[in-house]
Amino acid sequence: MLINQEKTTAYFADAPADIALSDVDLTRVPRHVSIIMDGNGRWAQARGLDRSQGHVAGVDALREAVTTSVRLGLDVLSVYAFSTENWKRPQREVNLLMHLFATTLVKELPLFHQENVRLRFFGDLTALPKETFDVFRQGLDETADHDGMTFALAVNYGSRAEIVRAARDLAAQAVAGEVDPASIDADLFASQLYTEGLPDPELLIRTSGELRLSNYLLWQLAYTEFYVTDTFWPDFDKWEFLRAIAAFQGRSRRFGGVV
Ligand code: IPE
Ligand code: IPE
Ligand code: MG
């Protein structure tokens, strides 16, 4: 994605000692970065606050991550916001998160317009409360014409459910005579996933130090580079993002071959 060099330089002024814009090659930024935003609860607990305040602080970090991604010229930023397993949390926390998704999206629509960001969702939205579902629909409709960066929010997303759904859809198409089972290959399978049409993430970032995928993009992350930071999500800022990109650019990706 094309960047406005002036805006990007201004955005990354005031660099800390260890990282600066000049540490990354802007011609080699990943097309798609995905983030498992983790550690809101622990961030709050460490400050003697309620977990919910960690989620509220997490929204600010997400806004910054979207802006950073635009300034760096990513094609796609995707983030894991709520998993199919997160329904197990106390009802009060689930309600707060669903309400926060709705109110945040409405509030951030001007940013998406200003930055030409197109919105997209991964996950089964039909199970969401009506308030959240309606706002998500509105967000999709209002940003459908934007042709800048794609911002994908994974909500009620689980990779196993996604893969099972793809298998079920293909099986139904085969039974209906629309698909020849012999023609099912990796590309056709991928076209049935929520990420249809998007490049696989080149870089996956997970905050708060956990070394696991928690049912996220199992198919799409087959050859993705992982970057884990101990920083809790609400503290993840543009400089943390830049450190992750710099680390990615230092990796040697082989895709099973030799270099
Ligand atoms: C990530 O932070 C946000 C969501 C999963 C919605 P957590 O709420 O998982 O925070 P920790 O991991 O308990 O600290
Ligand atoms: C993964 O975080 C899901 C999201 C960030 C939305 P969790 O906090 O739910 O994952 P686990 O429970 O630590 O594996
Ligand atoms: Mg967590």
Side-chain angles (χ1 to χ4, degrees), residues 241-259:
F241 207 138
L242 218 48
R243 285 181 195 104
I245 302 284
F248 166 83
Q249 291 185 340
R251 305 272 178 91
S252 161
R253 303 185 77 196
R254 288 185 286 279
F255 301 99
V258 286
V259 280

mmCIF file with all atom_site columns, all heavy atoms in Angstrom, residues 241-259:
data_model
loop_
_atom_site.group_PDB
_atom_site.id
_atom_site.type_symbol
_atom_site.label_atom_id
_atom_site.label_alt_id
_atom_site.label_comp_id
_atom_site.label_asym_id
_atom_site.label_entity_id
_atom_site.label_seq_id
_atom_site.pdbx_PDB_ins_code
_atom_site.Cartn_x
_atom_site.Cartn_y
_atom_site.Cartn_z
_atom_site.occupancy
_atom_site.B_iso_or_equiv
_atom_site.pdbx_formal_charge
_atom_site.auth_seq_id
_atom_site.auth_comp_id
_atom_site.auth_asym_id
_atom_site.auth_atom_id
_atom_site.pdbx_PDB_model_num
ATOM 1   N N   . PHE A 1 241 ? 5.398  -1.880  17.769 1.00 0.00 ? 241 PHE A N   1
ATOM 2   C CA  . PHE A 1 241 ? 5.024  -2.357  16.438 1.00 0.00 ? 241 PHE A CA  1
ATOM 3   C C   . PHE A 1 241 ? 6.256  -2.313  15.518 1.00 0.00 ? 241 PHE A C   1
ATOM 4   O O   . PHE A 1 241 ? 6.567  -3.266  14.787 1.00 0.00 ? 241 PHE A O   1
ATOM 5   C CB  . PHE A 1 241 ? 3.908  -1.472  15.873 1.00 0.00 ? 241 PHE A CB  1
ATOM 6   C CG  . PHE A 1 241 ? 2.995  -2.160  14.876 1.00 0.00 ? 241 PHE A CG  1
ATOM 7   C CD1 . PHE A 1 241 ? 1.622  -1.970  14.911 1.00 0.00 ? 241 PHE A CD1 1
ATOM 8   C CD2 . PHE A 1 241 ? 3.510  -3.009  13.901 1.00 0.00 ? 241 PHE A CD2 1
ATOM 9   C CE1 . PHE A 1 241 ? 0.779  -2.609  14.002 1.00 0.00 ? 241 PHE A CE1 1
ATOM 10  C CE2 . PHE A 1 241 ? 2.677  -3.643  12.987 1.00 0.00 ? 241 PHE A CE2 1
ATOM 11  C CZ  . PHE A 1 241 ? 1.304  -3.436  13.044 1.00 0.00 ? 241 PHE A CZ  1
ATOM 12  N N   . LEU A 1 242 ? 6.995  -1.203  15.602 1.00 0.00 ? 242 LEU A N   1
ATOM 13  C CA  . LEU A 1 242 ? 8.183  -1.040  14.765 1.00 0.00 ? 242 LEU A CA  1
ATOM 14  C C   . LEU A 1 242 ? 9.255  -2.089  15.121 1.00 0.00 ? 242 LEU A C   1
ATOM 15  O O   . LEU A 1 242 ? 9.932  -2.634  14.238 1.00 0.00 ? 242 LEU A O   1
ATOM 16  C CB  . LEU A 1 242 ? 8.734  0.376   14.984 1.00 0.00 ? 242 LEU A CB  1
ATOM 17  C CG  . LEU A 1 242 ? 9.308  1.124   13.778 1.00 0.00 ? 242 LEU A CG  1
ATOM 18  C CD1 . LEU A 1 242 ? 8.395  1.064   12.574 1.00 0.00 ? 242 LEU A CD1 1
ATOM 19  C CD2 . LEU A 1 242 ? 9.599  2.586   14.155 1.00 0.00 ? 242 LEU A CD2 1
ATOM 20  N N   . ARG A 1 243 ? 9.392  -2.387  16.431 1.00 0.00 ? 243 ARG A N   1
ATOM 21  C CA  . ARG A 1 243 ? 10.344 -3.429  16.855 1.00 0.00 ? 243 ARG A CA  1
ATOM 22  C C   . ARG A 1 243 ? 9.969  -4.773  16.238 1.00 0.00 ? 243 ARG A C   1
ATOM 23  O O   . ARG A 1 243 ? 10.832 -5.543  15.818 1.00 0.00 ? 243 ARG A O   1
ATOM 24  C CB  . ARG A 1 243 ? 10.357 -3.556  18.388 1.00 0.00 ? 243 ARG A CB  1
ATOM 25  C CG  . ARG A 1 243 ? 11.081 -2.431  19.087 1.00 0.00 ? 243 ARG A CG  1
ATOM 26  C CD  . ARG A 1 243 ? 11.102 -2.609  20.616 1.00 0.00 ? 243 ARG A CD  1
ATOM 27  N NE  . ARG A 1 243 ? 11.496 -1.342  21.223 1.00 0.00 ? 243 ARG A NE  1
ATOM 28  C CZ  . ARG A 1 243 ? 10.656 -0.497  21.825 1.00 0.00 ? 243 ARG A CZ  1
ATOM 29  N NH1 . ARG A 1 243 ? 9.387  -0.813  21.987 1.00 0.00 ? 243 ARG A NH1 1
ATOM 30  N NH2 . ARG A 1 243 ? 11.087 0.656   22.303 1.00 0.00 ? 243 ARG A NH2 1
ATOM 31  N N   . ALA A 1 244 ? 8.669  -5.053  16.191 1.00 0.00 ? 244 ALA A N   1
ATOM 32  C CA  . ALA A 1 244 ? 8.208  -6.323  15.613 1.00 0.00 ? 244 ALA A CA  1
ATOM 33  C C   . ALA A 1 244 ? 8.526  -6.386  14.114 1.00 0.00 ? 244 ALA A C   1
ATOM 34  O O   . ALA A 1 244 ? 8.980  -7.413  13.601 1.00 0.00 ? 244 ALA A O   1
ATOM 35  C CB  . ALA A 1 244 ? 6.703  -6.491  15.840 1.00 0.00 ? 244 ALA A CB  1
ATOM 36  N N   . ILE A 1 245 ? 8.310  -5.269  13.422 1.00 0.00 ? 245 ILE A N   1
ATOM 37  C CA  . ILE A 1 245 ? 8.594  -5.235  11.975 1.00 0.00 ? 245 ILE A CA  1
ATOM 38  C C   . ILE A 1 245 ? 10.099 -5.392  11.734 1.00 0.00 ? 245 ILE A C   1
ATOM 39  O O   . ILE A 1 245 ? 10.526 -6.129  10.840 1.00 0.00 ? 245 ILE A O   1
ATOM 40  C CB  . ILE A 1 245 ? 8.108  -3.903  11.346 1.00 0.00 ? 245 ILE A CB  1
ATOM 41  C CG1 . ILE A 1 245 ? 6.604  -3.692  11.570 1.00 0.00 ? 245 ILE A CG1 1
ATOM 42  C CG2 . ILE A 1 245 ? 8.476  -3.847  9.863  1.00 0.00 ? 245 ILE A CG2 1
ATOM 43  C CD1 . ILE A 1 245 ? 5.688  -4.511  10.704 1.00 0.00 ? 245 ILE A CD1 1
ATOM 44  N N   . ALA A 1 246 ? 10.893 -4.718  12.559 1.00 0.00 ? 246 ALA A N   1
ATOM 45  C CA  . ALA A 1 246 ? 12.352 -4.819  12.407 1.00 0.00 ? 246 ALA A CA  1
ATOM 46  C C   . ALA A 1 246 ? 12.806 -6.258  12.642 1.00 0.00 ? 246 ALA A C   1
ATOM 47  O O   . ALA A 1 246 ? 13.645 -6.793  11.892 1.00 0.00 ? 246 ALA A O   1
ATOM 48  C CB  . ALA A 1 246 ? 13.053 -3.861  13.368 1.00 0.00 ? 246 ALA A CB  1
ATOM 49  N N   . ALA A 1 247 ? 12.245 -6.919  13.655 1.00 0.00 ? 247 ALA A N   1
ATOM 50  C CA  . ALA A 1 247 ? 12.600 -8.316  13.927 1.00 0.00 ? 247 ALA A CA  1
ATOM 51  C C   . ALA A 1 247 ? 12.212 -9.199  12.743 1.00 0.00 ? 247 ALA A C   1
ATOM 52  O O   . ALA A 1 247 ? 12.979 -10.064 12.308 1.00 0.00 ? 247 ALA A O   1
ATOM 53  C CB  . ALA A 1 247 ? 11.898 -8.796  15.202 1.00 0.00 ? 247 ALA A CB  1
ATOM 54  N N   . PHE A 1 248 ? 11.020 -8.949  12.204 1.00 0.00 ? 248 PHE A N   1
ATOM 55  C CA  . PHE A 1 248 ? 10.548 -9.716  11.039 1.00 0.00 ? 248 PHE A CA  1
ATOM 56  C C   . PHE A 1 248 ? 11.518 -9.573  9.864  1.00 0.00 ? 248 PHE A C   1
ATOM 57  O O   . PHE A 1 248 ? 11.850 -10.543 9.186  1.00 0.00 ? 248 PHE A O   1
ATOM 58  C CB  . PHE A 1 248 ? 9.153  -9.224  10.640 1.00 0.00 ? 248 PHE A CB  1
ATOM 59  C CG  . PHE A 1 248 ? 8.698  -9.688  9.284  1.00 0.00 ? 248 PHE A CG  1
ATOM 60  C CD1 . PHE A 1 248 ? 8.135  -10.951 9.124  1.00 0.00 ? 248 PHE A CD1 1
ATOM 61  C CD2 . PHE A 1 248 ? 8.840  -8.875  8.171  1.00 0.00 ? 248 PHE A CD2 1
ATOM 62  C CE1 . PHE A 1 248 ? 7.731  -11.390 7.872  1.00 0.00 ? 248 PHE A CE1 1
ATOM 63  C CE2 . PHE A 1 248 ? 8.437  -9.304  6.920  1.00 0.00 ? 248 PHE A CE2 1
ATOM 64  C CZ  . PHE A 1 248 ? 7.885  -10.558 6.769  1.00 0.00 ? 248 PHE A CZ  1
ATOM 65  N N   . GLN A 1 249 ? 11.986 -8.350  9.654  1.00 0.00 ? 249 GLN A N   1
ATOM 66  C CA  . GLN A 1 249 ? 12.865 -8.109  8.509  1.00 0.00 ? 249 GLN A CA  1
ATOM 67  C C   . GLN A 1 249 ? 14.244 -8.753  8.684  1.00 0.00 ? 249 GLN A C   1
ATOM 68  O O   . GLN A 1 249 ? 14.983 -8.907  7.720  1.00 0.00 ? 249 GLN A O   1
ATOM 69  C CB  . GLN A 1 249 ? 12.973 -6.600  8.235  1.00 0.00 ? 249 GLN A CB  1
ATOM 70  C CG  . GLN A 1 249 ? 11.650 -6.048  7.711  1.00 0.00 ? 249 GLN A CG  1
ATOM 71  C CD  . GLN A 1 249 ? 11.700 -4.586  7.298  1.00 0.00 ? 249 GLN A CD  1
ATOM 72  O OE1 . GLN A 1 249 ? 12.595 -3.847  7.717  1.00 0.00 ? 249 GLN A OE1 1
ATOM 73  N NE2 . GLN A 1 249 ? 10.743 -4.161  6.491  1.00 0.00 ? 249 GLN A NE2 1
ATOM 74  N N   . GLY A 1 250 ? 14.562 -9.140  9.919  1.00 0.00 ? 250 GLY A N   1
ATOM 75  C CA  . GLY A 1 250 ? 15.823 -9.828  10.165 1.00 0.00 ? 250 GLY A CA  1
ATOM 76  C C   . GLY A 1 250 ? 15.716 -11.342 10.021 1.00 0.00 ? 250 GLY A C   1
ATOM 77  O O   . GLY A 1 250 ? 16.713 -12.055 10.137 1.00 0.00 ? 250 GLY A O   1
ATOM 78  N N   . ARG A 1 251 ? 14.513 -11.840 9.780  1.00 0.00 ? 251 ARG A N   1
ATOM 79  C CA  . ARG A 1 251 ? 14.318 -13.287 9.675  1.00 0.00 ? 251 ARG A CA  1
ATOM 80  C C   . ARG A 1 251 ? 14.651 -13.789 8.273  1.00 0.00 ? 251 ARG A C   1
ATOM 81  O O   . ARG A 1 251 ? 14.517 -13.065 7.301  1.00 0.00 ? 251 ARG A O   1
ATOM 82  C CB  . ARG A 1 251 ? 12.851 -13.655 9.973  1.00 0.00 ? 251 ARG A CB  1
ATOM 83  C CG  . ARG A 1 251 ? 12.311 -13.164 11.305 1.00 0.00 ? 251 ARG A CG  1
ATOM 84  C CD  . ARG A 1 251 ? 12.563 -14.128 12.425 1.00 0.00 ? 251 ARG A CD  1
ATOM 85  N NE  . ARG A 1 251 ? 12.055 -13.582 13.699 1.00 0.00 ? 251 ARG A NE  1
ATOM 86  C CZ  . ARG A 1 251 ? 10.833 -13.787 14.175 1.00 0.00 ? 251 ARG A CZ  1
ATOM 87  N NH1 . ARG A 1 251 ? 9.977  -14.542 13.484 1.00 0.00 ? 251 ARG A NH1 1
ATOM 88  N NH2 . ARG A 1 251 ? 10.461 -13.260 15.319 1.00 0.00 ? 251 ARG A NH2 1
ATOM 89  N N   . SER A 1 252 ? 15.021 -15.066 8.218  1.00 0.00 ? 252 SER A N   1
ATOM 90  C CA  . SER A 1 252 ? 15.244 -15.697 6.922  1.00 0.00 ? 252 SER A CA  1
ATOM 91  C C   . SER A 1 252 ? 14.089 -16.666 6.680  1.00 0.00 ? 252 SER A C   1
ATOM 92  O O   . SER A 1 252 ? 13.955 -17.684 7.354  1.00 0.00 ? 252 SER A O   1
ATOM 93  C CB  . SER A 1 252 ? 16.584 -16.427 6.961  1.00 0.00 ? 252 SER A CB  1
ATOM 94  O OG  . SER A 1 252 ? 16.631 -17.377 5.932  1.00 0.00 ? 252 SER A OG  1
ATOM 95  N N   . ARG A 1 253 ? 13.230 -16.344 5.724  1.00 0.00 ? 253 ARG A N   1
ATOM 96  C CA  . ARG A 1 253 ? 12.067 -17.189 5.447  1.00 0.00 ? 253 ARG A CA  1
ATOM 97  C C   . ARG A 1 253 ? 12.430 -18.160 4.326  1.00 0.00 ? 253 ARG A C   1
ATOM 98  O O   . ARG A 1 253 ? 12.889 -17.752 3.266  1.00 0.00 ? 253 ARG A O   1
ATOM 99  C CB  . ARG A 1 253 ? 10.869 -16.331 5.038  1.00 0.00 ? 253 ARG A CB  1
ATOM 100 C CG  . ARG A 1 253 ? 10.520 -15.299 6.076  1.00 0.00 ? 253 ARG A CG  1
ATOM 101 C CD  . ARG A 1 253 ? 9.257  -14.546 5.710  1.00 0.00 ? 253 ARG A CD  1
ATOM 102 N NE  . ARG A 1 253 ? 8.060  -15.344 5.970  1.00 0.00 ? 253 ARG A NE  1
ATOM 103 C CZ  . ARG A 1 253 ? 6.861  -15.063 5.458  1.00 0.00 ? 253 ARG A CZ  1
ATOM 104 N NH1 . ARG A 1 253 ? 6.719  -14.055 4.628  1.00 0.00 ? 253 ARG A NH1 1
ATOM 105 N NH2 . ARG A 1 253 ? 5.809  -15.817 5.765  1.00 0.00 ? 253 ARG A NH2 1
ATOM 106 N N   . ARG A 1 254 ? 12.232 -19.438 4.587  1.00 0.00 ? 254 ARG A N   1
ATOM 107 C CA  . ARG A 1 254 ? 12.677 -20.439 3.613  1.00 0.00 ? 254 ARG A CA  1
ATOM 108 C C   . ARG A 1 254 ? 11.537 -21.235 2.968  1.00 0.00 ? 254 ARG A C   1
ATOM 109 O O   . ARG A 1 254 ? 11.717 -21.864 1.958  1.00 0.00 ? 254 ARG A O   1
ATOM 110 C CB  . ARG A 1 254 ? 13.676 -21.387 4.276  1.00 0.00 ? 254 ARG A CB  1
ATOM 111 C CG  . ARG A 1 254 ? 15.024 -20.723 4.543  1.00 0.00 ? 254 ARG A CG  1
ATOM 112 C CD  . ARG A 1 254 ? 16.051 -21.662 5.083  1.00 0.00 ? 254 ARG A CD  1
ATOM 113 N NE  . ARG A 1 254 ? 15.814 -22.011 6.467  1.00 0.00 ? 254 ARG A NE  1
ATOM 114 C CZ  . ARG A 1 254 ? 16.154 -21.254 7.500  1.00 0.00 ? 254 ARG A CZ  1
ATOM 115 N NH1 . ARG A 1 254 ? 16.743 -20.096 7.299  1.00 0.00 ? 254 ARG A NH1 1
ATOM 116 N NH2 . ARG A 1 254 ? 15.900 -21.642 8.736  1.00 0.00 ? 254 ARG A NH2 1
ATOM 117 N N   . PHE A 1 255 ? 10.353 -21.243 3.602  1.00 0.00 ? 255 PHE A N   1
ATOM 118 C CA  . PHE A 1 255 ? 9.204  -21.953 3.047  1.00 0.00 ? 255 PHE A CA  1
ATOM 119 C C   . PHE A 1 255 ? 9.528  -23.400 2.670  1.00 0.00 ? 255 PHE A C   1
ATOM 120 O O   . PHE A 1 255 ? 9.034  -23.923 1.680  1.00 0.00 ? 255 PHE A O   1
ATOM 121 C CB  . PHE A 1 255 ? 8.640  -21.211 1.826  1.00 0.00 ? 255 PHE A CB  1
ATOM 122 C CG  . PHE A 1 255 ? 8.205  -19.806 2.145  1.00 0.00 ? 255 PHE A CG  1
ATOM 123 C CD1 . PHE A 1 255 ? 9.031  -18.729 1.857  1.00 0.00 ? 255 PHE A CD1 1
ATOM 124 C CD2 . PHE A 1 255 ? 6.983  -19.557 2.764  1.00 0.00 ? 255 PHE A CD2 1
ATOM 125 C CE1 . PHE A 1 255 ? 8.650  -17.420 2.160  1.00 0.00 ? 255 PHE A CE1 1
ATOM 126 C CE2 . PHE A 1 255 ? 6.590  -18.262 3.076  1.00 0.00 ? 255 PHE A CE2 1
ATOM 127 C CZ  . PHE A 1 255 ? 7.430  -17.193 2.772  1.00 0.00 ? 255 PHE A CZ  1
ATOM 128 N N   . GLY A 1 256 ? 10.401 -24.015 3.457  1.00 0.00 ? 256 GLY A N   1
ATOM 129 C CA  . GLY A 1 256 ? 10.735 -25.410 3.205  1.00 0.00 ? 256 GLY A CA  1
ATOM 130 C C   . GLY A 1 256 ? 11.865 -25.620 2.219  1.00 0.00 ? 256 GLY A C   1
ATOM 131 O O   . GLY A 1 256 ? 12.321 -26.749 2.019  1.00 0.00 ? 256 GLY A O   1
ATOM 132 N N   . GLY A 1 257 ? 12.338 -24.534 1.599  1.00 0.00 ? 257 GLY A N   1
ATOM 133 C CA  . GLY A 1 257 ? 13.433 -24.662 0.645  1.00 0.00 ? 257 GLY A CA  1
ATOM 134 C C   . GLY A 1 257 ? 14.781 -24.363 1.289  1.00 0.00 ? 257 GLY A C   1
ATOM 135 O O   . GLY A 1 257 ? 14.920 -24.464 2.498  1.00 0.00 ? 257 GLY A O   1
ATOM 136 N N   . VAL A 1 258 ? 15.766 -24.017 0.481  1.00 0.00 ? 258 VAL A N   1
ATOM 137 C CA  . VAL A 1 258 ? 17.063 -23.649 1.009  1.00 0.00 ? 258 VAL A CA  1
ATOM 138 C C   . VAL A 1 258 ? 17.409 -22.247 0.510  1.00 0.00 ? 258 VAL A C   1
ATOM 139 O O   . VAL A 1 258 ? 16.868 -21.782 -0.482 1.00 0.00 ? 258 VAL A O   1
ATOM 140 C CB  . VAL A 1 258 ? 18.185 -24.634 0.572  1.00 0.00 ? 258 VAL A CB  1
ATOM 141 C CG1 . VAL A 1 258 ? 18.086 -25.933 1.321  1.00 0.00 ? 258 VAL A CG1 1
ATOM 142 C CG2 . VAL A 1 258 ? 18.151 -24.843 -0.933 1.00 0.00 ? 258 VAL A CG2 1
ATOM 143 N N   . VAL A 1 259 ? 18.301 -21.573 1.242  1.00 0.00 ? 259 VAL A N   1
ATOM 144 C CA  . VAL A 1 259 ? 18.745 -20.252 0.738  1.00 0.00 ? 259 VAL A CA  1
ATOM 145 C C   . VAL A 1 259 ? 20.231 -20.229 0.529  1.00 0.00 ? 259 VAL A C   1
ATOM 146 O O   . VAL A 1 259 ? 20.970 -21.022 1.098  1.00 0.00 ? 259 VAL A O   1
ATOM 147 C CB  . VAL A 1 259 ? 18.376 -19.103 1.727  1.00 0.00 ? 259 VAL A CB  1
ATOM 148 C CG1 . VAL A 1 259 ? 16.915 -18.726 1.554  1.00 0.00 ? 259 VAL A CG1 1
ATOM 149 C CG2 . VAL A 1 259 ? 18.720 -19.465 3.147  1.00 0.00 ? 259 VAL A CG2 1
#
